[in-house]
C-alpha cells in the first residue's frame, strides 16, 4: 500500500485561503482525471467539503507523489503553489488511513462528531468510481472509512460531542438560547437546494419556523424541496413555497432567518442588498456600527475605518486598504521590519527606544515563542490596542452562511439589527467547544480499525504470491502423475486415483503451515518483504503473480456493491 493524501482544511488554512481554493464539481472531475494521468499515481479520489479539500492517491513514489499532487491542487484551485504550500498537510500509508478514518468519525470536523461528513465521503467515492479513478485500494479504503464512521456513531456517544454544522450555526444565531424558542413563528428564507440547504430547511422546519421560502437558480429543484418540506410536516404548522432567485431581494424584507449555501463563485447577498432589506423592513436606513466585534464569543477585531485615533501612525496611509483598522493585521501585511517596529510602539502608545535594540539571541527567542504560539492556536497573535465597542441593538434579521466560498458579504457584520454567522465565525466559536468523553473511545476505535485495515491490506498483498505458489505445486504434481502414467501403464483407474490423492495430500501438508504462517507474518507491520522472499525462494514467475492479482482485482470490481 502506497496511499498518499495531500490537502488543506480549517485546521491548517484560514477561511480566506479555503474560499479561494474551493473546487467546483467540474474542477474536481478534472483534478481526478489529471491525477491518474500523472506518472506517480494509479488511483485518485477527492474529498471536498466546505472546510476541507483533500486529494487521495495510490502512488509508487512518495516524494514525486507529494510534488505532483501539490502542483495539481494548486493548478485546479487557482491558488499559486508558493502561496498554497504552507497550508498543505501530507499523510502517507498508515497515517493517511488514520486521517481518513478520523475524518469519517467526525474527529477532524469543525464541529466534532458531526455526521454529515459520511455522506460527503460516500459522494467522493461515487465520483471516483464513476470516473474509474478509484481502484482496489481506494475502494477498500473509502468503504471501510464509511463503516468505521458508522461504527463510531453507533457504539459511542460522539453525536453528543457535536452536531451538524447547520445545528451549530442555528445555535450561534440563537446566541446560546434554545433554538426552538428562538425559531418559533419566524419566517425563513433558504437560498440553495443542495444537500446542505436541504438539511438547513429540514432543521428549521423541526425547530418550529412558521414559513420556509426556498430560492434556487434551478426553480424546479426549489419546488421539489418545498414539496418535500410540506409533505414531511405532520403538524401542519409549517408552510413551504419556492421562488426564483430574482425574488430574493423582495423575500429578504420579509425573512427573519436567512440560510444560504450555494455553489456560486461570487457573493449572493451583498451588504448593500441586506441593508436595503433592513430599510424596507423598518422604513429607516440601516445603521452601520463601527468598532463592533463579530458574532462569536472570541471575536476578531472589527474592520473599522481609520478615525481620529490614527493620528501619527508611522504607516503609509495610502498603502492601507480602505475599510481596515490601522491597528489590524491587514494593515501591516508586507511592511518592512523597521516600520513594523515603529507601528508596534505606536499601537502600544509609546515610542521606539533605539538605545535598547534587541540582540540576535533575543530575536531567536521571540521567533521560537511565536512559532510555538502559531503551532498551538493556528495563527500569530496581533499586537493591537483595544478598539471601542459600540452597543449593538438586538438583532431582528439573522443570517447563516454555510457556503465556501462565502455567499454573504462579511461586511454585513457591521449592520445594526443584523446577526451574521458564517464559516469563519463558526470556526472561532467551535475552537473552545467542550470535548465529550466519548471522543477518546472513538480515537481507540480509529486506532484499532487502522491496524486491522493495514493488516488486511498487507495480507492481501501476499495472497497472489501464495496462490501462484500453490498453482506451481499443482502443476508439478500434474506433471509427475503424467510421467507415472507412462512408466506404469498397467495401473487401473482406482490405483491411479489413490496415487494422485496421496501425492496431493503430501504437497498440501507441506505447503499448509508455511503459507498460513507467511500470511500471518505478512499482515504484521513491516511484513511486506515476505512476498518478495517467497517469490525468490520458489523462483515464481512475476507475471504469474501479477496475473493472479489482476484476476482478483477484476473479481472485486465485479462483486462490489453499487
Amino acid at each position: 500500500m502506497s496511499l498518499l493524501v495531500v490537502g488543506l482544511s480549517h485546521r491548517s488554512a484560514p477561511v480566506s485561503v479555503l474560499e479561494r481554493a474551493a473546487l467546483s464539481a467540474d474542477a474536481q472531475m478534472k483534478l481526478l482525471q489529471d491525477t491518474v494521468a500523472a506518472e506517480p499515481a494509479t488511483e485518485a479520489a477527492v474529498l471536498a467539503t466546505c472546510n476541507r479539500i483533500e486529494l487521495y492517491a495510490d502512488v509508487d513514489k512518495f516524494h514525486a507523489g507529494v510534488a505532483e499532487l501539490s502542483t495539481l491542487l494548486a493548478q485546479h484551485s487557482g491558488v499559486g503553489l508558493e502561496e498554497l504550500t504552507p497550508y498543505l498537510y501530507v499523510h502517507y500509508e498508515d497515517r493517511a488511513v488514520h486521517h481518513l478514518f478520523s475524518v469519517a468519525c467526525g474527529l477532524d470536523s469543525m464541529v466534532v462528531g458531526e455526521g454529515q461528513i459520511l455522506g460527503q465521503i460516500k459522494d467522493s467515492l461515487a465520483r471516483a468510481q464513476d470516473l474509474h479513478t478509484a481502484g482496489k485500494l481506494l475502494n477498500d479504503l473509502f468503504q471501510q472509512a464509511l463503516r468505521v464512521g458508522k461504527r463510531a456513531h453507533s457504539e459511542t456517544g460522539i453525536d453528543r460531542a457535536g452536531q451538524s454544522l447547520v445545528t451549530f450555526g442555528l445555535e450561534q444565531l440563537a446566541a446560546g438560547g434554545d433554538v426552538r424558542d428562538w425559531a418559533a413563528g419566524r419566517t425563513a428564507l433558504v437560498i440553495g437546494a443542495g444537500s446542505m440547504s436541504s438539511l438547513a430547511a429540514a432543521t428549521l422546519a423541526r425547530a418550529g419556523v412558521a414559513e420556509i421560502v426556498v430560492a434556487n437558480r434551478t426553480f424546479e429543484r426549489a419546488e421539489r424541496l418545498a414539496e418535500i418540506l410540506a409533505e414531511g410536516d405532520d403538524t401542519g404548522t409549517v408552510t413551504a413555497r419556492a421562488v426564483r432567485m430574482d425574488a430574493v431581494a423582495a423575500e429578504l424584507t420579509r425573512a427573519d432567518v436567512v440560510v444560504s449555501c450555494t455553489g456560486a463563485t461570487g457573493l449572493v447577498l451583498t451588504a448593500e442588498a441586506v441593508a436595503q432589506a433592513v430599510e424596507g423592513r423598518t422604513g429607516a436606513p440601516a445603521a452601520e456600527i463601527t468598532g463592533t466585534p463579530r458574532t462569536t464569543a472570541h471575536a476578531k477585531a472589527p474592520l473599522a475605518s481609520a478615525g481620529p485615533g490614527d493620528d501619527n501612525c508611522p504607516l503609509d496611509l495610502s498603502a492601507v486598504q480602505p475599510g481596515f483598522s490601522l491597528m489590524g493585521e491587514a494593515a501591516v501585511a508586507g511592511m518592512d521590519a523597521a516600520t513594523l517596529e515603529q507601528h508596534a510602539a505606536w499601537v502600544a502608545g509609546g515610542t521606539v527606544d533605539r538605545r535598547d535594540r534587541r540582540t540576535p539571541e533575543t530575536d531567536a527567542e521571540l521567533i521560537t515563542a511565536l512559532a510555538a504560539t502559531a503551532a498551538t492556536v493556528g495563527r500569530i497573535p496581533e499586537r493591537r490596542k483595544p478598539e471601542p465597542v459600540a452597543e449593538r441593538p438586538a438583532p431582528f434579521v439573522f443570517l447563516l452562511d454555510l457556503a465556501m466560498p462565502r455567499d454573504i458579504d462579511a461586511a454585513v457584520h457591521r449592520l445594526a439589527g443584523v446577526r451574521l454567522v458564517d464559516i469563519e465565525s463558526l470556526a472561532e466559536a467551535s475552537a473552545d467547544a467542550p470535548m465529550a468523553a466519548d471522543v477518546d473511545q472513538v480515537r481507540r476505535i480509529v486506532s484499532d480499525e487502522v491496524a486491522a485495515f493495514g493488516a488486511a491490506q498487507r495480507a492481501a498483498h501476499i495472497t497472489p504470491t501464495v496462490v501462484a505458489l500453490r498453482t506451481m505445486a499443482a502443476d508439478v504434481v500434474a506433471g509427475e502423475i503424467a510421467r507415472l502414467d507412462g512408466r506404469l501403464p498397467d495401473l487401473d483407474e482406482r490405483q491411479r486415483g489413490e496415487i494422485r490423492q496421496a501425492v496431493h495430500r503430501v504437497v498440501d501438508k507441506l505447503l499448509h503451515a508455511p503459507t498460513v504462517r507467511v500470511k500471518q507474518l505478512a499482515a504484521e507491520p513491516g511484513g511486506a518483504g515476505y512476498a518478495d522472499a517467497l517469490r525468490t525462494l520458489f523462483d515464481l514467475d512475476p507475471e504469474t503473480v501479477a496475473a493472479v492479482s489482476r484476476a482478483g482485482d477484476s473479481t472485486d470490481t465485479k462483486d462490489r456493491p453499487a
Side-chain angles (χ1 to χ4, degrees):
M1 177 179 62
S2 299
L3 177 66
L4 175 66
V5 56
V6 178
L8 66 160
S9 73
H10 64 100
R11 294 186 181 276
S12 69
V15 172
S16 59
V17 174
L18 287 172
E19 281 186 318
R20 293 168 53 211
L23 297 172
S24 65
D26 289 342
Q28 292 178 44
M29 294 173 60
K30 189 68 169 62
L31 174 57
L32 286 175
Q33 293 166 340
D34 288 353
T35 301
V36 294
E39 182 179 345
T42 56
E43 303 180 32
V46 173
L47 178 58
T49 72
C50 61
N51 51 38
R52 79 176 60 250
I53 303 163
E54 296 176 345
L55 179 56
Y56 291 79
D58 184 5
V59 299
D60 55 8
K61 299 180 182 69
F62 172 72
H63 293 96
V66 171
E68 187 65 32
L69 266 58
S70 301
T71 301
L72 287 168
L73 275 175
Q75 289 176 352
H76 289 275
S77 68
V79 180
L81 182 59
E82 288 189 5
E83 182 181 358
L84 190 64
T85 298
Y87 304 110
L88 295 176
Y89 47 78
V90 174
H91 298 294
Y92 190 55
E93 294 189 335
D94 285 354
R95 290 302 306 170
V97 177
H98 189 282
H99 175 73
L100 181 60
F101 287 4
S102 297
V103 169
C105 293
L107 292 179
D108 199 57
S109 296
M110 185 178 294
V111 180
V112 174
E114 61 94 8
Q116 190 178 6
I117 187 64
L118 286 174
Q120 294 162 333
I121 291 174
K122 184 177 180 181
D123 292 343
S124 175
L125 175 59
R127 185 182 304 109
Q129 289 175 335
D130 290 343
L131 295 174
H132 305 290
T133 63
K136 177 174 174 53
L137 174 59
L138 291 186
N139 270 293
D140 290 349
L141 174 69
F142 274 68
Q143 288 178 1
Q144 186 62 25
L146 292 172
R147 287 189 284 267
V148 173
K150 292 174 183 177
R151 178 190 171 192
H153 284 279
S154 64
E155 294 184 11
T156 74
I158 188 67
D159 292 335
R160 296 193 299 269
Q163 321 107 310
S164 74
L165 210 55
V166 171
T167 306
F168 190 58
L170 293 178
E171 288 188 352
Q172 293 301 301
L173 286 180
D178 185 80
V179 173
R180 290 182 176 275
D181 293 341
W182 166 81
R186 294 187 186 273
T187 297
L189 170 62
V190 177
I191 304 176
S195 57
M196 184 75 81
S197 299
S198 300
L199 177 61
T203 304
L204 286 166
R206 289 195 300 270
V209 297
E211 181 183 16
I212 299 176
V213 181
V214 182
N216 193 57
R217 297 186 188 281
T218 305
F219 182 64
E220 290 74 15
R221 293 191 65 182
E223 281 188 313
R224 179 58 184 150
L225 178 55
E227 290 172 1
I228 292 173
L229 292 171
E231 292 169 358
D233 177 32
D234 298 330
T235 64
T237 58
V238 180
T239 60
R241 59 187 175 88
V243 298
R244 300 186 185 277
M245 286 297 290
D246 55 12
V248 166
E251 295 296 337
L252 272 177
T253 62
R254 300 179 59 254
D256 304 303
V257 183
V258 179
V259 179
S260 186
C261 186
T262 72
T265 54
L267 292 175
V268 175
L269 295 180
T270 63
E272 292 75 13
V274 177
Q276 289 173 7
V278 171
E279 183 175 354
R281 188 183 184 113
T282 63
E288 183 171 324
I289 300 177
T290 59
T292 180
R294 294 168 63 91
T295 315
T296 55
H298 301 281
K300 284 190 177 180
L303 305 180
S305 300
D310 297 321
D311 293 340
N312 303 317
C313 174
L315 299 184
D316 177 9
L317 300 186
S318 63
V320 179
Q321 182 178 351
F324 283 90
S325 165
L326 295 180
M327 297 180 191
E329 59 191 279
V332 300
M335 296 294 174
D336 60 81
T339 306
L340 286 176
E341 188 177 7
Q342 294 179 38
H343 177 265
W346 173 77
V347 168
T351 58
V352 180
D353 187 356
R354 296 293 177 185
R355 295 172 298 176
D356 187 21
R357 298 288 295 180
R358 294 193 302 271
T359 65
E361 290 76 13
T362 57
D363 279 343
E365 292 175 1
L366 287 172
I367 291 171
T368 301
L370 279 175
T373 303
T376 303
V377 303
R379 63 192 290 270
I380 296 177
E382 303 170 41
R383 187 177 184 183
R384 64 168 81 245
K385 184 191 297 180
E387 299 188 26
V389 177
E391 187 70 24
R392 285 191 75 103
F396 52 85
V397 177
F398 301 84
L399 297 96
L400 177 58
D401 184 0
L402 298 173
M404 182 66 70
R406 70 177 75 241
D407 277 349
I408 303 176
D409 192 344
V412 169
H413 280 292
R414 296 199 291 261
L415 295 179
V418 178
R419 176 175 294 157
L420 169 63
V421 172
D422 53 21
I423 292 293
E424 187 173 4
S425 53
L426 284 175
E428 294 170 359
S430 64
D432 297 324
M435 298 284 283
D438 299 273
V439 169
D440 287 337
Q441 186 179 352
V442 172
R443 286 177 177 151
R444 288 193 292 271
I445 288 175
V446 168
S447 296
D448 292 344
E449 291 285 355
V450 169
F453 183 82
Q457 289 294 310
R458 289 187 291 270
H461 178 67
I462 202 170
T463 297
T465 304
V466 171
V467 172
L469 173 61
R470 288 190 171 276
T471 301
M472 184 191 75
D475 291 342
V476 170
V477 169
E480 291 302 318
I481 293 295
R483 282 206 307 169
L484 185 63
D485 288 343
R487 291 181 178 181
L488 300 174
D490 297 333
L491 292 175
D492 59 32
E493 193 58 36
R494 185 186 63 79
Q495 291 170 328
R496 293 178 192 278
E498 288 291 340
I499 293 172
R500 189 180 298 111
Q501 288 182 9
V503 174
H504 275 295
R505 281 196 297 270
V506 170
V507 172
D508 288 343
K509 287 183 178 181
L510 285 173
L511 290 179
H512 176 72
T515 52
V516 169
R517 184 60 180 146
V518 80
K519 285 182 178 181
Q520 294 171 344
L521 293 171
E524 297 176 359
Y530 285 99
D532 294 333
L534 208 58
R535 287 193 292 270
T536 302
L537 286 171
F538 289 93
D539 195 22
L540 298 176
D541 182 9
E543 182 54 37
T544 302
V545 177
V548 173
S549 182
R550 286 193 298 269
D553 289 349
S554 176
T555 302
D556 288 344
T557 302
K558 182 179 66 176
D559 295 340
R560 186 173 298 123

